[in-house]
Amino acid sequence: MSAKPSSPAKIGVYVCHCGTNISGKVDVTEAARFAETLPGVAVVREYKFMCSDPGQLLIQEDIEQLGLQRVVVASCSPLMHEPTFRGACERAHLNRYLFQMANIREHCSWVTVDGGAATEKAKVLLAGAVARARELVDLPTDTVLPVGQKTLIVGAGIAGIQAALDIAESGREVYLVEKDSSIGGHMAKFDKTFPTLDCAACILTPKMVQVGKHKNIHLLSYAEVEKVSGFVGNFKVTVRQKPRFVDVLACTGCGACTEVCPVEVPYEFEEGMAKRKAIYRNFPQAVPSAFVIDHPKDADCVLACPIEQDVQGYVTLIAKKKYKEAHELIRRTNPLPSVCTWVCNKACEGSCHRRYVDEPIAIRALKGFAIDRAPIETLAMPVAEKTGKKVLVVGAGVAGLAAAHDLALQGHAVTVLEAGAEAGGALLAEFPEAKLPRLAWKRDLAYLARLGVSIQVNHPVAPANLDREIAGYDGLFVDVAETRQKAGEEVCGITRGQGPVGKLNLTDAATASKRIKAQKGGAAVLQKLVDGKRAAQAISNFLAGRPASAGLEEPRSPTRPSDEEKARIRGEWEPEARSEPAEGGAYTEADAVREASRCIECGVCCGCRECEKVCEPRAIHYDMKETRQELEVGAILLTTGFESFDARRVPQYGYGRLPNVVTALEFERMNSASGPTGGRVVMASGEAPRSVGIIHCVGSRDENYNRHCSRVCCMYALKFAHLVKEKTSAEVYNFYIDMRCFGKGYEEFYQRLLEEDVRFIRGRAASVSDMALSEAEKGKLIVRVEDTLVGKVRRVPLDMVVLATGVEAAKDSHDVAHTFAISRGKDGFFLEKHPKLAPVSTPTDGIFIAGACQGAKDIPDTVAQASGAAAQALSLMGKGQIQIDSATCMVHADLCAGCRICNTLCPMSAISFDVAKNKTVINDVLCKGCGTCAAACPSSAIVARHFTDEQIYAEIQGVLYDVRA
Amino acid sequence: MKCTYYPGCSQHSTARGYEESIQTVAKPLDLELETLDDWNCCGATAYMSVNEVLSFCLTARNLSLAAKAGHPVVTPCNACFTNLRKTNAYMAEFPEVKAKVDEALGAGGMAYDGKTPTKHLLQVIVEDVGLEKIRGLVKRPLAGLRVAPYYGCQIVRPLGIEGGTDNPMMLDHLLEALGATPTHFPMKTTCCGGSLMGTQEDVALRLCRNLLLCAEQAKADCIAVTCSLCQMNLDAYQQRINSNYGTHFNFPIVYFTQLMGLALGFEERQLGLQRGVVPTSSLVRRGATAGAKEASS
């Protein structure tokens, strides 16, 4: 900022006639003569159209020739022409912030009835403007920021795909984030598109493939944007990559995994009309073509187990009669499963979701069955690369053996030294034969032997001799209380060679494990198992040079389903009696399989690992975790699409209650050649319908649901009518209110349908019912509708009814809008900057929207908007830098007391606090100069540039020029 | 449970059976129904169609009288129920209506604050007395009796009981609690024609015929109703429908409280069952013998 001139500034005043808009009401000449009397005014001019080229030239010439230092134009609203006149000043080398406008049109001539009063008001406004102009100071106009050249596009439907290709072709990098496991959005579900009847997949997949292969597009599928910060040209975005459990690059899409997966759940892509496996992909041409596993190791039975056994996995394998595989799966995590089947307190059964239908699965008994059925000798031993490390375990108690088991699985050579005559002395002392058959115990020991664990009994280790005993070993686990204490309070020490290299406190390793209060009984056994396993992980980490906490996360707890979830489970499954083994005996095979088949697979992927065994490229990785990455981008495009209206909200149409009432998306899948019926239009019975009705405006144009028109339904309803005519010999009825065929070729398509003998009934369908009132109606769906053109209420019996469900904003649009700091309209769709002139940008600079997330629209308009948004983003990035407005707020650091009152007030999140300096800091770029902070500051430390106190007071004083005290 | 009971005009004329059964079952249910003193006709659907605001005034007078006792107002009739609900709602939403009602009441030295809660007898029995208690009181479960649960239209719309306008289940659940089998009845909330039976008989007859046809398809033994006008239309005009349409309907049309009474062990005459035009004796016999079978097994 430069200092004010030592002599009062020379002000030029220009009063515009604006044709007759102003001069028709205000006496412009009188106002101009008044302006001449104001202090500091060097020249006053009137002109018919100040905004015209000659008008602007007037200002420029006066600045150059008269040396004007301030310019006031009394004309229209600054929203109209402030930039125009600022431009004129700048061309004459006068700083744009030395220009002041007085609005004597929208605020004066247009709103005042009496001419005299209008002229007086014009004078007042002029006086204020001139007084303020005197106080204006010049501000920087060269603050620029670089614009990042990368773009983030959120949502990979046709809009996202198109925009990504447009931007990538310019040579710039694009991050395309899609929350589903493959791209394509809703369009990938369609069969044919109107009005050309192009096959949707045929026109979409080439673009999808291009996206997948483009060197400038980084496709982040199965990922979501978590956090956004920064500002236009300089956004920082955190993207959360959900674990796919399949390596995207390694997976060849061969599908061998789906052949062996035992779990089936409803297929979301097929709108629930077919089933998919837990490992799946959306459709054969999916991009990426890799499969995805629907979250393994998430069932409540697994989470309830202290050692997170793959419970759902082995139960499912038993149901499929794969007893050997079940036993092998059990032994992957459980060091002493035979013991567990006798002593465990069955937390898994307590969390089993089946209990919401009838009884929980008899998991413990089933486990015993699998162990009995598949002898130890027949099991395939897990192969682990030998590490060459040797670990000594002192004490063959439960914890010691558990540690030994897990260490052996990791490839270490383990020796266990036991003081007593046999292993497990304390365990066997507590549990007599009746409670824990020795046969079971011996079985587990036999497995440990097969693993290569060497157990030496009658070999006590005195605490004093510990250092001698561990010579030659790389790691040590002490499972004997006294020795532990001697070695230093619950220490599991790890030493190498002469002295301790690292010591791990057993309590640390076991700290986060579930602390079961009881010290006796089955619970204590489980606790020791957990402790032993965690110690083994800690030791392995040390030996492998991994971070100490690897694999030792906080144990998870079972989630408890919501009431809706419980009701859904209850409604989905028929109660069935629980089968248990005969008292004291064992399961028959038939009973065990039946019991295991009661599992409702609530965790979806059961973790049986059968897919892993058949995956040749070894692309399956069960231990994938979610990851996050930070991206820096210059522009963001939101192309998150829409959701379909839920037809269950209109109970009169019977969706979900009556068979053969389907939604639009379900009908699309039905017609698709790759869909559940292979493209045939059929009823639930499998027969072709003889009559089909299509009800328009379901959930749209309706005060009860959505007021808006969904724009695409009339056209797709016509498309459906055509498809039915093409594939069946059914009669087709369309129940419509208006036929909205506004686009190119749309009306012609409608005419074609009229010629195809489709019956159109103008009337909104009132209800769909199965109540037959005559023979002809028996077994049919009756649509009751007022035929408004005829003036009668009609009952139309039909075999099938298709509901043209409308387009709605996605349910998570509130959260998405919040993440990106943009607004939504009343209907939930993202809000554009201007509905007519700026449909793809938002008031938030740098963030653009395109496609159905901005409002219901068809594919041609979506693609057009996508390219439009891409162009705007390219225009932003093409500038390379952006200019920052200087009418922002500024903190005078020496006046700032660090009270932080202003910190929470900023609507643009532009204010932060420098803790070290104890001063508030304002981000010039984010600040829009609203002045809230300036007003709140008790020390007047914040200045709102171009709206300083002095400037505002001066304007007020100017306006009150003729008020006597 | 104490309520202010607003019977409505039919209870002492065409719906005498309804009234008798209500008074009979109220005792075991511990339902204290204090009849509103000096109640007046609400105008039902007929007057509401002629002069809406005056209809509100009529109902508001009843609500104003009831406000003194402070209990919710309970009515057994669907039309009275709708009028009670509409009056409260319109007075709350439209100041013009409230002003007119206040003026009318004021002329009689009365006032109404619009806050008296209103319920249908079915609601009070199912929600406030509760199905658990009713199940415990059942002496003669109506085992094997297939009942079409007919709610009628005004109990569910425009300001009706819980459960939505399309497929409410309150009466279904009550019938289950009595041991009966509520049938699938798609027209459970379709209008019977109401007062149209008096003014446009052919329309109402056709609507009733459709309802009876629906009950026939559902293989119901009888139809349970919650409204005196529905009962009369379906019962008293069944013969006329048969002769007009060549049908052979023979459905006893009973009030839900009459079925309750049977299940609770009361006799035909205590429940006014002899008053039906279509004989209910088969029903009574079935209920009695079914219950006896249950009791002896």
Side-chain angles (χ1 to χ4, degrees):
Chain A
M1 286 188 286
S2 65
K4 289 192 243 171
S6 44
S7 50
K10 275 194 187 160
I11 308 175
V13 180
Y14 302 84
V15 188
C16 185
H17 288 228
C18 192
T20 53
N21 273 310
I22 296 177
S23 62
K25 190 56 67 75
V26 171
D27 186 339
V28 177
T29 311
E30 192 185 317
R33 272 207 298 272
F34 168 76
E36 283 167 4
T37 67
L38 296 169
V41 171
V43 64
V44 178
R45 300 202 195 279
E46 288 175 42
Y47 192 60
K48 258 213 155 46
F49 295 107
M50 279 308 299
C51 57
S52 64
D53 277 350
Q56 295 178 52
L57 214 49
L58 262 183
I59 298 174
Q60 282 169 240
E61 284 171 353
D62 280 350
I63 294 174
E64 282 158 8
Q65 289 160 17
L66 301 176
L68 293 179
Q69 290 153 324
R70 304 283 185 276
V71 170
V72 172
V73 172
S75 59
C76 52
S77 161
L79 281 175
M80 292 294 300
H81 281 302
E82 186 175 62
T84 313
F85 299 124
R86 277 184 169 180
C89 292
E90 280 189 321
R91 285 194 291 280
H93 307 291
L94 186 69
N95 186 286
R96 71 163 77 115
Y97 295 99
L98 299 176
F99 165 76
Q100 176 66 32
M101 208 152 157
N103 184 343
I104 60 172
R105 191 182 75 174
E106 282 89 336
H107 282 186
C108 186
S109 69
W110 275 0
V111 297
T112 316
V113 174
D114 175 60
T119 309
E120 284 310 304
K121 185 167 180 183
K123 290 182 192 170
V124 161
L125 292 171
L126 272 167
V130 168
R132 185 184 147 96
R134 271 201 293 275
E135 302 299 321
L136 292 175
V137 289
D138 55 355
L139 295 172
T141 55
D142 53 1
T143 319
V144 290
L145 274 179
V147 172
Q149 293 297 301
K150 300 189 190 164
T151 309
L152 170 72
I153 301 183
V154 185
I158 180 62
I161 289 172
Q162 181 62 45
L165 288 170
D166 285 345
I167 295 178
E169 281 294 294
S170 79
R172 292 178 173 77
E173 284 177 61
V174 174
Y175 294 101
L176 180 56
V177 175
E178 168 55 47
K179 72 177 181 212
D180 202 350
S181 55
S182 65
I183 65 178
H186 279 95
M187 191 173 167
K189 294 190 181 184
F190 299 162
D191 173 40
K192 303 265 191 313
T193 55
F194 57 77
T196 51
L197 296 174
D198 275 310
C199 150
C202 305
I203 55 178
L204 178 63
T205 42
K207 288 195 189 265
M208 282 168 53
V209 169
Q210 255 192 299
V211 164
K213 293 204 179 337
H214 206 293
K215 66 173 168 48
N216 286 335
I217 300 182
H218 307 286
L219 177 55
L220 304 173
S221 63
Y222 216 49
E224 291 188 52
V225 171
E226 212 171 47
K227 201 161 97 78
V228 178
S229 64
F231 46 89
V232 55
N234 300 272
F235 292 108
K236 278 200 189 22
V237 181
T238 306
V239 176
R240 179 171 72 93
Q241 176 70 54
K242 298 183 283 194
R244 197 185 265 256
F245 305 103
V246 173
D247 183 337
V248 175
L249 297 172
C251 173
T252 59
C254 71
C257 48
T258 54
E259 308 283 320
V260 297
C261 176
V263 177
E264 272 191 351
V265 289
Y267 207 160
E268 295 89 348
F269 189 79
E270 301 289 6
E271 297 291 309
M273 295 194 296
K275 291 228 190 283
R276 63 161 171 85
K277 297 297 181 78
I279 186 165
Y280 71 102
R281 68 178 162 194
N282 282 335
F283 51 95
Q285 311 100 309
V287 168
S289 66
F291 281 69
V292 57
I293 301 182
D294 197 344
H295 61 105
K297 265 193 141 34
D298 243 358
D300 274 352
C301 49
V302 175
L303 300 177
C305 173
I307 57 173
E308 287 200 12
Q309 278 254 242
D310 290 305
V311 178
Q312 190 190 344
Y314 67 73
V315 167
T316 306
L317 285 168
I318 294 171
K320 303 290 175 199
K321 303 196 179 171
K322 295 188 171 173
Y323 314 122
K324 174 165 121 42
E325 288 84 346
H327 194 171
E328 284 164 359
L329 187 63
I330 292 166
R331 290 213 178 255
R332 277 186 77 120
T333 10
N334 196 333
L336 302 172
S338 293
V339 172
C340 282
T341 58
W342 285 94
V343 308
C344 179
N345 64 350
K346 305 183 281 179
C348 51
E349 294 187 25
S351 290
C352 173
H353 282 201
R354 181 81 204 195
R355 73 187 193 280
Y356 298 118
V357 184
D358 37 50
E359 296 285 322
I361 310 290
I363 299 172
R364 194 175 75 178
L366 283 173
K367 187 185 201 169
F369 171 80
I371 293 175
D372 285 339
R373 268 286 164 151
I376 303 277
E377 310 79 54
T378 62
L379 299 181
M381 297 308 289
V383 176
E385 232 182 85
K386 296 276 174 269
T387 59
K389 305 280 186 211
K390 296 162 69 171
V391 182
L392 175 65
V393 176
V394 177
V398 172
L401 293 177
H405 171 276
D406 275 18
L407 286 164
L409 280 184
Q410 299 250 5
H412 307 305
V414 186
T415 305
V416 185
L417 300 179
E418 167 57 35
E422 60 177 330
L427 175 75
L428 298 177
E430 192 182 339
F431 292 90
E433 170 73 29
K435 289 240 168 71
L436 174 56
R438 299 314 184 230
L439 206 60
W441 172 239
K442 288 204 174 14
R443 213 176 4 216
D444 282 344
L445 285 182
Y447 186 77
L448 284 172
R450 275 199 79 194
L451 267 184
V453 173
S454 160
I455 304 178
Q456 297 172 20
V457 294
N458 293 316
H459 189 140
V461 173
N465 300 336
L466 191 56
D467 282 335
R468 197 164 30 91
E469 291 279 11
I470 63 175
Y473 287 97
D474 302 293
L476 165 74
F477 175 59
V478 180
D479 184 27
V480 179
E482 307 87 65
T483 317
R484 269 214 296 275
Q485 271 152 15
K486 245 340 182 178
E489 283 322 354
E490 308 276 351
V491 165
C492 107
I494 297 164
T495 67
R496 183 180 292 138
Q498 297 307 312
V501 174
K503 274 189 192 295
L504 265 182
N505 190 314
L506 177 62
T507 319
D508 283 344
T511 297
S513 69
K514 299 194 232 309
R515 282 256 155 252
I516 306 168
K517 297 271 189 314
Q519 285 309 304
K520 285 184 147 327
V525 172
L526 295 177
Q527 183 57 56
K528 289 178 189 151
L529 266 182
V530 173
D531 289 347
K533 282 174 66 79
R534 291 184 76 87
Q537 181 67 38
I539 296 171
S540 274
N541 286 345
F542 180 83
L543 293 177
R546 286 194 293 261
S549 59
L552 286 172
E553 290 91 24
E554 281 283 327
R556 302 178 289 166
S557 290
T559 50
R560 243 163 287 285
S562 63
D563 286 334
E564 285 99 40
E565 184 62 16
K566 289 184 200 166
R568 191 191 61 77
I569 294 171
R570 234 191 323 270
E572 210 174 297
W573 298 89
E574 283 295 319
E576 216 183 295
R578 171 168 148 137
S579 307
E580 303 222 28
E583 188 56 49
Y587 265 120
T588 61
E589 185 177 352
D591 282 346
V593 171
R594 181 173 43 241
E595 178 60 16
S597 305
R598 281 195 325 123
C599 173
I600 63 175
E601 310 289 350
C602 60
V604 195
C605 169
C606 64
C608 67
R609 297 184 180 249
E610 291 293 283
C611 54
E612 203 177 41
K613 296 176 188 165
V614 301
C615 179
E616 279 189 36
R618 298 179 148 273
I620 296 180
H621 303 290
Y622 267 76
D623 51 5
M624 265 191 190
K625 302 265 184 291
E626 74 177 17
T627 56
R628 284 174 173 74
Q629 54 174 309
E630 292 268 323
L631 303 173
E632 287 186 5
V633 296
I636 298 178
L637 268 69
L638 297 178
T639 49
T640 49
F642 68 94
E643 278 178 16
S644 267
F645 174 77
D646 182 357
R648 275 180 299 234
R649 292 171 64 187
V650 189
Q652 306 89 291
Y653 289 161
Y655 175 69
R657 191 169 36 94
L658 299 170
N660 298 314
V661 176
V662 297
T663 62
L665 274 177
E666 287 173 353
F667 199 63
E668 286 282 3
R669 291 315 303 153
M670 198 188 283
N671 275 285
S672 168
S674 65
T677 62
R680 298 180 309 129
V681 174
V682 287
M683 303 194 285
S685 61
E687 292 173 359
R690 282 144 303 178
S691 49
V692 177
I694 304 171
I695 298 181
H696 291 223
C697 301
V698 176
S700 311
R701 305 185 64 188
D702 195 328
E703 271 185 18
N704 299 311
Y705 310 108
N706 294 310
R707 284 169 179 254
H708 64 252
C709 163
S710 293
R711 203 169 160 103
V712 296
C713 323
C714 277
M715 286 311 297
Y716 77 60
L718 289 176
K719 175 184 78 177
F720 286 162
H722 171 81
L723 289 172
V724 172
K725 281 289 183 188
E726 197 179 64
K727 296 179 177 181
T728 71
S729 51
E731 283 183 358
V732 180
Y733 289 83
N734 280 53
F735 303 99
Y736 69 100
I737 307 177
D738 296 287
M739 284 311 293
R740 296 193 161 173
C741 311
F742 52 89
K744 202 162 171 177
Y746 290 12
E747 183 68 25
E748 295 87 329
F749 188 66
Y750 176 35
Q751 286 300 318
R752 177 177 169 177
L753 265 300
L754 290 173
E755 283 157 24
E756 285 179 12
D757 200 29
V758 171
R759 287 119 204 264
F760 289 89
I761 296 183
R762 186 183 179 277
R764 186 172 215 157
S767 63
V768 179
S769 127
D770 58 352
M771 173 58 208
L773 285 181
S774 66
E775 267 313 304
E777 292 182 358
K778 278 221 163 71
K780 302 263 186 195
L781 294 169
I782 319 296
V783 170
R784 287 186 67 241
V785 62
E786 181 191 355
D787 186 338
T788 58
L789 295 178
V790 170
K792 278 194 162 10
V793 173
R794 291 175 65 164
R795 294 173 65 89
V796 184
L798 301 159
D799 280 339
M800 184 186 242
V801 171
V802 181
L803 302 175
T805 44
V807 166
E808 284 184 328
K811 276 179 209 52
D812 65 354
S813 60
H814 167 83
D815 296 329
V816 173
H818 186 77
T819 303
F820 291 91
I822 59 172
S823 315
R824 299 185 306 149
K826 249 185 16 190
D827 49 17
F829 293 103
F830 295 146
L831 204 56
E832 60 285 301
K833 199 173 197 173
H834 189 280
K836 283 203 169 293
L837 298 179
V840 295
S841 45
T842 64
T844 309
D845 293 335
I847 300 189
F848 306 95
I849 53 180
C853 64
Q854 183 260 356
K857 56 178 65 70
D858 52 15
I859 294 171
D861 288 348
T862 298
V863 170
Q865 272 205 346
S867 291
Q872 298 225 347
L874 285 171
S875 156
L876 167 66
M877 292 188 285
K879 281 204 279 258
Q881 55 187 30
I882 43 170
Q883 206 174 69
I884 308 299
D885 192 352
S886 292
T888 55
C889 290
M890 217 182 71
V891 181
H892 284 305
D894 29 333
L895 291 176
C896 175
C899 74
R900 304 186 69 168
I901 286 177
C902 61
N903 280 197
T904 50
L905 296 173
C906 181
M908 312 306 299
S909 305
I911 299 186
S912 57
F913 193 69
D914 186 336
V915 179
K917 297 201 181 118
N918 202 43
K919 302 284 178 196
T920 286
V921 176
I922 296 179
N923 179 327
D924 230 6
V925 178
L926 288 173
C927 174
K928 298 277 183 219
C930 72
T932 308
C933 55
C937 180
S939 322
S940 296
I942 302 182
V943 166
R945 295 192 292 183
H946 202 55
F947 289 94
T948 64
D949 291 353
E950 294 79 30
Q951 287 158 357
I952 296 174
Y953 290 146
E955 189 164 7
I956 295 172
Q957 294 212 306
V959 157
L960 298 171
Y961 77 94
D962 64 347
V963 170
R964 299 278 165 262
Chain B
M1 162 99 202
K2 249 189 151 103
C3 304
T4 300
Y5 181 55
Y6 173 65
C9 307
S10 309
Q11 293 302 96
H12 297 294
S13 54
T14 51
R16 215 167 295 156
Y18 199 3
E19 184 67 6
E20 284 163 356
S21 59
I22 292 174
Q23 297 304 332
T24 303
V25 301
K27 278 191 243 5
L29 293 178
D30 280 327
L31 205 47
E32 280 183 60
L33 297 170
E34 238 178 62
T35 304
L36 179 62
D37 191 35
D38 196 27
W39 61 267
N40 57 271
C41 171
C42 72
T45 333
Y47 199 37
M48 185 69 81
S49 321
V50 168
N51 191 322
E52 209 177 44
V53 172
L54 287 187
S55 180
F56 290 139
C57 295
L58 277 180
T59 305
R61 181 178 178 278
N62 289 316
L63 287 164
S64 161
L65 290 171
K68 289 196 201 70
H71 307 308
V73 173
V74 172
T75 182
C77 166
N78 288 9
C80 300
F81 174 65
T82 292
N83 283 349
L84 287 168
R85 287 253 159 136
K86 267 176 98 167
T87 303
N88 277 349
Y90 274 65
M91 282 181 72
E93 196 183 330
F94 300 102
E96 322 80 275
V97 169
K98 182 173 192 318
K100 286 228 162 72
V101 171
D102 286 343
E103 192 189 328
L105 289 179
M110 300 174 76
Y112 175 54
D113 64 2
K115 292 197 176 29
T116 305
T118 60
K119 285 189 159 201
H120 191 283
L121 183 64
L122 178 66
Q123 272 181 299
V124 170
I125 285 177
V126 173
E127 290 172 354
D128 298 315
V129 173
L131 295 177
E132 272 305 309
K133 178 161 181 173
I134 293 168
R135 248 180 246 122
L137 292 167
V138 169
K139 295 200 183 55
R140 290 203 295 238
L142 304 171
L145 189 67
R146 292 179 61 82
V147 185
Y150 180 51
Y151 294 72
C153 59
Q154 296 198 72
I155 196 178
V156 291
R157 22 176 211 276
L159 297 158
I161 59 174
E162 290 300 303
T165 60
D166 197 54
N167 190 22
M169 294 299 282
M170 208 181 270
L171 179 57
D172 298 60
H173 292 319
L174 175 61
L175 291 168
E176 276 170 352
L178 300 174
T181 307
T183 65
H184 170 64
F185 194 52
M187 296 181 82
K188 57 171 41 166
T189 59
T190 310
C191 181
C192 71
S195 322
L196 285 179
M197 194 62 92
T199 54
Q200 302 239 27
E201 198 183 274
D202 53 335
V203 174
L205 283 178
R206 184 164 49 79
L207 291 173
C208 287
R209 177 215 134 212
N210 292 347
L211 285 165
L212 293 165
L213 199 59
C214 191
E216 192 180 66
Q217 289 186 3
K219 299 199 178 26
D221 295 319
C222 63
I223 303 180
V225 296
T226 64
C227 166
S228 44
L229 200 39
C230 297
Q231 200 278 342
M232 189 172 82
N233 281 356
L234 288 169
D235 183 37
Y237 288 84
Q238 221 173 106
Q239 235 348 83
R240 187 83 64 86
I241 290 169
N242 280 340
S243 55
N244 272 17
Y245 292 96
T247 47
H248 304 283
F249 301 124
N250 190 30
F251 288 105
I253 314 291
V254 288
Y255 294 101
F256 71 97
T257 42
Q258 290 175 319
L259 286 177
M260 281 183 77
L262 277 180
L264 263 51
F266 292 99
E267 298 309 317
E268 183 184 32
R269 293 217 152 237
Q270 292 172 295
L271 305 168
L273 275 164
Q274 79 285 7
R275 299 188 188 279
V277 172
V278 174
T280 60
S281 41
S282 61
L283 201 70
V284 177
R285 259 202 315 276
R286 281 196 64 163
T289 47
K293 266 208 223 118
E294 279 288 317
S296 65
S297 65

